[in-house]
Each structure stands twice: as C-alpha cells, then as structure tokens.
Amino acid sequence: GAVNIMEALRIVPGLQVAKIDQTQYVISVRGFLTSQSGSNKLLVLMDGRTLYNPSFSGVIWAAQDTMLEDIDRIEVIRGPGATLWGSNAVAGVINIITKDSSKTQGTLLSGGMGTEERGFGSVRYGGKIGEEFYYRAYAKFRNVDSGKDAFGNDTFDASESAQGGFRSDWQVNRRDQLTLQGDYYDVEFEDDTSSRFVSFTPPFAVPFRTIASFSGGNLLARWNRTLDDNSNIKLQAYYDRTSAKDYFIIDKASTDQLDLEFQHDFQWGESQKVSWGLNYHFTDFNIPPSPSFIFTNRDTNLFGFFVHDEITLVPKTWSVILGARFEDNEFSGFEVQPNIRTVWTPDPEHTLWAAVSRAVRIPTEAEDGAQANGDGTDFPLPFPDVITRQIGDPDFDSEELLAFEVGYRQQLSPKLFFDVTGFLNLYDKLGDNIVGGLFAETTPPPLHLVSTAVRANALEGEVYGVELAAEWKPFNRWRLAGSYSYIKIDLRGKEGFDLLGGAQGNLKTENEPNHKFNVRSYLDLPHNFELDLMLYYQSDYPARGVPSYTRLDLRLGWKPIPEVELSLMGQNLLDSQHPEFGNQASPKTETERSFYAKATLRF
C-alpha cells in the first residue's frame, strides 16, 4: 500500500523515515536524522547510479518517483558499505534495483485518487525486438493536496510531479549484455519559508511563499561480459543533472555529475572470490551567488580503487571477507576505507557474523568555503544592525567512522525466521558550527555587524544500538513480520572548539527517537482478496519537538482476474493527524489520516 519509495522504507529495522511536508521526506539509518536533507551519512543508489547530491550531502527524495511496479527489490545495508560503494556509505546504503526489461513486457495502466493523493497515474509499455532485445518506456504523474498544521489550517505545500523514462536490455550474445536507461523528472511544490535574508537594510528577513521546483535527468549505460564460468567484468557510465529553482535560500542551482566505473569479479583457486575495480567521478557545481548565499563553484574529481576478497576457511561453515577502498578527492585528499568480516554457519539454520569497518564522509562544496547569510536583527540607532553568516572552512576534513557490528540469524523452523544485530559506531571529526568572529561591514550599506559561525570538525562520540527482525508464517495464507530498533547517541565537543550556543548542530542528535518498531500482517483471503496491515511506532523526538506517535496503515486488495488489481488504502488510521518532523524554517506540516483507491490493469 505504499505510495512511494519513502513510505516503503518504513518497514526496515534501523531505518528512520520522517515526513517533513506533503513533498519532502528525511531518511537516515542508525541516527543523524536532524538535517532537513536527510542523513549525510547514508548513500542511496538506483541501478548503480548514486542519488546522493554532493552540493549539500543528502538526497532529494521528492525527485525519486520511479514506478513501484518496476522495482525488483530494495537492498538496505545497515552499517558501513564504503569498501564496495565508496565514500559517504558511512552508516548505511540503500540500493534500489529495477527489473530487467524482459520482466516488464506488455502494457500496464495504473491510477487512483484519494483525500491527500488528489490524483496519480502511470503508464508503461514493454516490448521486444528480435530474440534478445527487450525495452520498456513509462510515464507517470502525481498531484498531492496541501497538508494541515497543528491547528488544522491548510499549509502551503501542495505539489505536482511528472516523470518519464526508459530502459533497454540486450543480450548481444552468450557472453555480452548491454543495458541503457534514462529518466527525466519535474517536481513543482509550494514552498513556505518563514524567513529569508533579502537585503542589508532592515527588515533583513521577511516571510515569503513561492512555487519551488526540482527537475533533472539521467542517462546510464552498462556493459556486462562473462569471461568464463567464474569470471565477469562490468563497465558502467552515467550522467546525472539536478536543478533547483526558488528553493529555500537558493534561487537557481544545478549540479552535473559524470561517473565511470569498472569492476572485475573472478574465482581465485577453490576458496577465494575476488572483486576489484576502478572508478572516476566528476562533478560540476553551478550555483549563482545571491545576497543569501555565496557558493564556490568549481569542478571536482574523485578517483577510486577497491579490492574485495571472500575467503572460505571451512567449506559451508566459516568464511572471512577482507577488503579496502582507496580514494583521492578534492576536499580531504587520500582516504583509506578498509573492512573485515567473518561469517560462521555451524549448520544451515544458524549464522553468526561480525565486522569491523572504517568509512568516511567527504566534505561538500558548502562546507568547503560557502557563505550563507541568515536572519538579521534590527536595532534602534545608534546601534548598528546585526546579521548572521555561516562560513565554510577550506580546511574542513572528512568525518570518520570506526564501526563494530555483530549479528545472529536463526531459521527456527521452515516458517519462523529471527535476526538480531548489535552495533557500536565510534565517530570522529563530525561537522558542527563553532563560534566565529564579530566584525563590522559597510559594503553593502548601511553599516552593520556580522556575527559568524564557522563549520568545523568539532564533535566526536558514540552511537550504539540493537536491531531485531522476525518473520512467521503460521499458515500458508498468512504471514507476519516485524522489527524493533533501539539507538542511543552520545556526542560531545572536541577539545579546543567553542560550539555555537553550547549545544547546537549535530548535538541535537542526542535527542533523536530511541525506539522504533513495526508489525506487519499479510493475509490472502478467499476469492483473490488480500488484507495487509502495518502498525508503526516511533518514540518522541525532542530535538524537533515531535511527540511519540503510532500509525496504522491498512490495505484491501482484490484481483477479480489476473490482469486486474483493485486496492483501497487507509493510512494513519489511529489519529486525525500528527507531526513527524519539526521544520524550523517553515510551518510544521502534520501527517493526516488519509484514504485512496487504486486500479491497475495489465495486458
């Protein structure tokens, strides 16, 4: 019953999903939910293309609206994945994989409407040329109503989006396969920000409302070649462009990315599986300066090499994985990110594993030297007026993580599965704002004071917790699943740094939700009916002023014939509305009780 990728991710243990407003979400894994752009320590990929935006170190989730019917699976790696996926895969990785074109043949029509989802629809056609060339093309749109604030008033955050794309898969011969795919999207949404720096004369900041937008496109090509039964190579290239207009403090901006990747997998002897590869990533930033924001536009380059070796010590019982990635980037220079893992399977029903990993989040252009002017204070004469300015530091270094993980999985019976994971993350050089200087400016007039905050590697600390997951199938027609996560964050300022306000910035992560659980029921009823239920709980979120909440989602589906599927969905049925994420810059939108109906036709 999920309406988008973000809602589907709620079921994953350790993953935190919060709805900011009707358009935007914030998602993180194992903490650091504080940023409106989401965790900067979570790497998100789609078919090998990174969705991580290096201009602000986050993901524009509003622009990720691929057809859910085309998604084959979503892999979620909880914990560092830097050895295989590179920098910024610090706390975890979300890897969205779409279906091969051969699996999406024919025509699919889907659409619906509801109380919040005012209207949505998609069309997809898949075809075939010759014996081994498959393709598909799709288009979709979505119109979302504005939300409600805590007093029941309409908020200014309705949105409308459109997206289209294609994918082709060609089995050239027995050894070679070529994939070509691309997407284009355009999202327009109402943006209501409470204040924005507009000039150096009082009033410095005024409320504003505008129609903001995200748009962009991507093109990816991938070649896979099988060299023999135990060896294959992959060569992949993609181009991605993201544009934003009238969003928050940025009037118009774009980021262009080009990525090249080579990987070779082979069997070495009878006991080793080896992977190694090279990658190159180019980024071009184009963010014009404004009174609000001055960005250091430049081209950046990243070069990487990795090697990964899975060694079987005792066949079918004990294996060790060793790996490391070596990267050179424009901001922090040379980085080494190693990983060691061991897996012990005494019998097919029991698995015990442990891992030690190092990962880094490299700085962004904004942290390297950008300047952002914030709200000002209008003092009566003869005192000068004061504005605030956040300044990036060219010496800002990579944030570092040393992670320890241990897990146990047990297949208690053919119908009962259990999984538990414990982790300890030791963070160093975390970014936060420290107290800068206070100085006077006369240009532009009038005379004013500037109070600065400087970005610095000012924090260190620990994040630890436990994650449980289980699945039980009491009957062939009924499956139950659930998960629970506990997380505790303990951060502190590093010696020699004067933190802004004493407890601002990332220190607020200590007041993030500690507990999250969900229970899901999937029931196949007679006459091709389906009844799905999810109960979701999150403890209070003091850093954002969000109390604990429990939501219940319910879906009733019916397939009168195999080609037709009808669904009724109710979300957040236990209360009329509740907040999930407090936004300091704009009115707080709450998640409402909602209903929608959907019909899908395949032929």
Side-chain angles (χ1 to χ4, degrees), residues 302-343:
L302 183 147
F303 301 89
F305 167 79
F306 84 93
V307 61
H308 182 269
D309 188 6
E310 182 175 344
I311 307 168
T312 300
L313 301 177
V314 180
K316 298 182 179 181
T317 302
W318 185 23
S319 63
V320 174
I321 299 173
L322 304 173
R325 179 175 286 267
F326 309 90
E327 288 185 343
D328 186 76
N329 67 84
E330 302 272 349
F331 303 103
S332 61
F334 187 72
E335 300 284 1
V336 181
Q337 301 177 85
N339 170 64
I340 180 171
R341 249 168 227 277
T342 184
V343 181

Side-chain angles (χ1 to χ4, degrees), residues 2 20 29 60 63 94 102 114 141 167 216 221 243-244 251 262 267 283 320 329 381 416 422 424 481 489 576-577:
I20 300 175
V29 59
I60 303 175
I94 296 176
S102 62
F141 79 93
R167 172 168 172 163
S243 300
D251 292 319
F262 170 81
Q267 182 81 29
T283 307
V320 174
N329 67 84
L381 293 176
L416 182 59
L424 170 63
I489 302 174
S576 59
Q577 61 185 69

Side-chain angles (χ1 to χ4, degrees), residues 30 404-406 421-425 463-467 486-487:
R30 294 180 175 173
F404 301 88
E405 301 172 274
V406 62
T421 300
F423 66 91
L424 170 63
N425 291 345
V463 179
Y464 56 90
V466 63
E467 298 154 352
Y486 170 79
I487 185 171

Side-chain angles (χ1 to χ4, degrees), residues 2-6 45-47 49 51 61-74 96-99 121-122 124 136 138-142 161-167 181-185 218 598:
V3 295
N4 53 43
I5 293 172
M6 297 77 82
L45 303 142
M46 181 173 291
D47 290 327
R49 173 178 56 87
L51 307 181
W61 286 104
Q64 316 309 323
D65 200 22
T66 295
M67 286 182 59
L68 294 180
E69 292 87 351
D70 286 351
I71 294 177
D72 181 62
R73 64 188 184 276
I74 301 177
I96 304 165
I97 301 172
T98 62
K99 297 175 182 177
S122 58
R124 183 195 70 208
R136 69 166 176 261
Y138 76 94
K140 64 175 302 184
F141 79 93
R142 185 177 177 217
S161 62
Q163 180 166 322
F166 73 95
R167 172 168 172 163
Q181 61 188 101
D183 306 276
Y184 178 80
Y185 61 87
N218 59 81
K598 179 181 178 180

Side-chain angles (χ1 to χ4, degrees), residues 261-578:
E261 178 184 339
F262 170 81
Q263 182 172 324
H264 180 204
D265 306 318
F266 63 94
Q267 182 81 29
W268 189 10
E270 297 183 354
S271 61
Q272 295 188 67
K273 295 180 180 179
V274 180
S275 297
W276 69 276
L278 304 164
N279 72 290
Y280 167 71
H281 193 90
F282 169 83
T283 307
D284 175 66
F285 300 96
N286 182 21
I287 302 178
S290 69
S292 303
F293 201 63
I294 300 175
F295 202 85
T296 306
N297 290 307
R298 61 171 172 173
D299 300 339
T300 63
N301 302 275
L302 183 147
F303 301 89
F305 167 79
F306 84 93
V307 61
H308 182 269
D309 188 6
E310 182 175 344
I311 307 168
T312 300
L313 301 177
V314 180
K316 298 182 179 181
T317 302
W318 185 23
S319 63
V320 174
I321 299 173
L322 304 173
R325 179 175 286 267
F326 309 90
E327 288 185 343
D328 186 76
N329 67 84
E330 302 272 349
F331 303 103
S332 61
F334 187 72
E335 300 284 1
V336 181
Q337 301 177 85
N339 170 64
I340 180 171
R341 249 168 227 277
T342 184
V343 181
W344 181 46
T345 308
D347 58 64
E349 287 78 31
H350 302 268
T351 300
L352 181 66
W353 63 273
V356 180
S357 312
R358 181 184 186 270
V360 303
R361 183 190 71 84
I362 64 176
T364 65
E365 278 286 293
E367 292 168 318
D368 186 65
Q371 297 184 14
N373 292 319
D375 293 358
T377 303
D378 186 9
F379 287 107
L381 293 176
F383 301 102
D385 300 309
V386 179
I387 66 167
T388 60
R389 178 174 298 164
Q390 181 171 309
I391 302 174
D393 183 1
D395 294 326
F396 188 83
D397 203 358
S398 293
E399 297 182 332
E400 299 178 358
L401 166 66
L402 181 61
F404 301 88
E405 301 172 274
V406 62
Y408 174 68
R409 296 172 182 171
Q410 183 176 8
Q411 189 76 37
L412 297 171
S413 72
K415 295 185 176 182
L416 182 59
F417 171 80
F418 175 77
D419 178 279
V420 58
T421 300
F423 66 91
L424 170 63
N425 291 345
L426 305 180
Y427 282 100
D428 194 17
K429 299 183 180 179
L430 289 176
D432 204 343
N433 295 327
I434 63 173
V435 176
L438 181 67
F439 58 90
E441 277 187 345
T442 57
T443 304
L447 170 68
H448 55 274
L449 294 178
V450 180
S451 175
T452 62
V454 181
R455 194 69 174 167
N457 300 103
L459 294 178
E460 62 183 4
E462 300 81 40
V463 179
Y464 56 90
V466 63
E467 298 154 352
L468 308 174
E471 187 171 310
W472 179 37
K473 195 173 183 179
F475 307 105
N476 289 335
R477 288 179 169 266
W478 187 24
R479 181 167 59 95
L480 293 171
S483 67
Y484 166 77
S485 305
Y486 170 79
I487 185 171
K488 178 64 177 176
I489 302 174
D490 183 14
L491 301 181
R492 53 195 170 271
K494 292 174 68 70
E495 186 176 354
F497 290 96
D498 185 9
L499 294 176
L500 186 66
Q504 299 298 315
N506 278 338
L507 283 181
K508 290 184 178 180
T509 60
E510 295 186 350
N511 292 316
E512 287 188 16
N514 297 120
H515 306 274
K516 191 196 84 169
F517 77 80
N518 69 77
V519 177
R520 309 182 305 280
S521 170
Y522 307 91
L523 180 62
D524 293 334
L525 299 171
H527 307 292
N528 297 321
F529 280 93
E530 300 171 335
L531 183 63
D532 302 329
L533 175 150
M534 182 179 76
L535 185 69
Y536 180 96
Y537 168 82
Q538 180 174 287
S539 59
D540 62 322
Y541 189 178
R544 290 282 178 175
V546 176
S548 63
Y549 64 88
T550 304
R551 61 178 283 172
L552 175 67
D553 295 349
L554 191 66
R555 172 187 171 271
L556 177 64
W558 180 42
K559 291 184 178 180
I561 58 176
E563 296 81 12
V564 176
E565 182 176 358
L566 306 175
S567 299
L568 292 174
M569 181 70 187
Q571 295 178 315
N572 192 36
L573 298 178
L574 297 183
D575 54 34
S576 59
Q577 61 185 69
H578 67 258

